Structures are given as structure tokens and as C-alpha cells.
Amino acid sequence: MKRRLAFLLAAVLLLGGCASLPEADELEEEWEDYQQFPRQEADEEEKPADYRTVDVHIRRLREKLEEKPAEPVYPAAFSLPYHRDHTLDPVTCGEGIQETAASLLYEPLFVLDGSFQPEAVLCESFGWDSTGLVCTLTLREGVTFSDGSLLTARDAAETLQRAKESERYAYRLRNMVSAAANRAGQVVITLSAPNRGLPALL
């Protein structure tokens, strides 16, 4: 009995407070009287006034729960801070807000998913040779820069070479001996020691 009464009061509180409702102990005293009136068949005038008030609030609660939620309104534009006097070059830019802004301008070969596994972005697929020292990347077709020029395997290879020689990525790519484009338009990365985790570093 007390559980059911508590549920009724909780539903009322969700709608707008209980300032206009009787105290809990008063409702509990009248509960036995209310049991003789089936909820679906009782005449509204025969029900105790306090319970008619509760019924009104519960009906309003049900109506609110059945309402279709409003569609979210998204901003037409947003802005991010960045250092105007610092570079947005993804190889040499600093960490923090500059790196965040740069990530909106450039796409990587891979990103890490929620399980920290590499997920292809600019790279469509990759494979290893039998020694585990040579990794061949096949790039997505039709990718262009902002000026409309196509992304090539040579562009990707030269960027990897720049990254290896940079202060920021030198340690991460320390096992990379070279990166070059082959005649098939793929990026060929040669390592000094096998490392199947290479895609996660790119």
C-alpha cells in the first residue's frame, strides 16, 4: 500500500511540486476508502477530492511522457580559438588548441577507434610483406586538397618523411627507414624492425 502511494506522490512531484497537494499521511489515511472505487469505473464525483487531484496530475504526467520530444536545434556555426601567429601545419604545430584547430583542416591516414584500434581514413587498405618490414598502403581514391588537386601517394610519403625528421614525431617514427611512392600509386614504408602496430602510429 505504501509503495503504491509513494509512486503516486513521486509522479506528482515530477510535474510541478506538491505544494497544492495534501500531506502524505493524510492521503494514506484515506487510501482504504479509495480502494472501493475501481479506477476505470468510479464516478469522478464519488472519489475523495484529494485523490481526484492526484489523478489529474498523473494524467498530465502521462500526457507529457507520450509527447514527442522536440527536435534538437543545432547551431548554424561555431568557432574555435587558435594562435593566429602560430602555424597550423599538422607536422610542426604545437599541442593543445592549435592541434585541435589543425585536425579540422587535415585528415590522417588512420584514427584510433574506441578500442584503440586503427581505423582507416585516408588509407583504404594496407598489407605487409613476409618479413614484416615493409608495409604497403593503398590510399582512398578521389581525395582532393582545398585547391582541388588530387592527393597522391607521393604527397603522403613526403609528409611521412617530414614527420620522421620533425621534433614532434621523430621518436614515434624512429623505426621507419623510409617512405616512398611506388608505380602503382601506393605508399611503401620500410621499417628497421618488424612492428605490426605501425598503422596506429600514422
Side-chain angles (χ1 to χ4, degrees):
M1 179 181 72
K2 291 184 178 181
R3 285 186 179 177
R4 189 168 180 181
L5 181 59
F7 170 77
L8 292 174
L9 290 174
V12 171
L13 285 170
L14 287 174
L15 278 173
C18 59
S20 63
L21 294 179
E23 296 295 332
D25 54 351
E26 295 177 11
L27 288 176
E28 188 170 358
E29 288 174 3
E30 297 185 24
W31 179 256
E32 293 298 336
D33 294 336
Y34 185 51
Q35 300 306 302
Q36 62 180 307
F37 300 104
R39 295 184 65 79
Q40 300 299 325
E41 301 175 5
D43 187 337
E44 288 294 319
E45 295 301 322
E46 293 179 342
K47 292 182 182 180
D50 293 339
Y51 282 100
R52 290 200 300 272
T53 304
V54 171
D55 283 346
V56 169
H57 283 283
I58 290 178
R59 281 198 297 271
R60 289 177 182 171
L61 175 63
R62 287 175 177 165
E63 290 172 0
K64 276 194 169 293
L65 293 176
E66 291 171 358
E67 287 178 2
K68 185 178 179 181
E71 292 292 330
V73 178
Y74 299 105
F78 66 94
S79 59
L80 289 174
Y82 75 100
H83 294 294
R84 183 173 56 183
D85 299 327
H86 295 183
T87 181
L88 287 171
D89 185 326
V91 173
T92 60
C93 75
E95 296 181 356
I97 61 174
Q98 205 73 355
E99 181 182 22
T100 300
S103 69
L104 300 177
L105 303 176
Y106 307 97
E107 286 185 302
L109 291 169
F110 298 89
V111 294
L112 298 182
D113 63 17
S115 301
F116 298 100
Q117 297 301 311
E119 196 172 83
V121 180
L122 289 180
C123 178
E124 185 175 89
S125 62
F126 66 96
W128 295 89
D129 73 346
S130 58
T131 67
L133 296 174
V134 178
C135 181
T136 302
L137 311 178
T138 301
L139 302 181
R140 273 172 36 208
E141 294 184 359
V143 177
T144 61
F145 291 99
S146 59
D147 63 359
S149 59
L150 285 172
L151 170 69
T152 67
R154 181 177 179 180
D155 294 325
E158 289 180 351
T159 301
L160 288 173
Q161 284 293 153
R162 283 187 63 226
K164 176 181 170 56
E165 296 166 4
S166 71
E167 180 180 351
R168 183 176 183 181
Y169 293 105
Y171 184 79
R172 181 189 295 191
L173 300 176
R174 63 191 181 281
N175 291 331
M176 188 181 83
V177 176
S178 65
N182 64 14
R183 292 183 179 180
Q186 299 168 306
V187 180
V188 180
I189 301 174
T190 303
L191 304 179
S192 59
N195 182 7
R196 299 283 179 171
L198 176 66
L201 303 178
L202 305 178

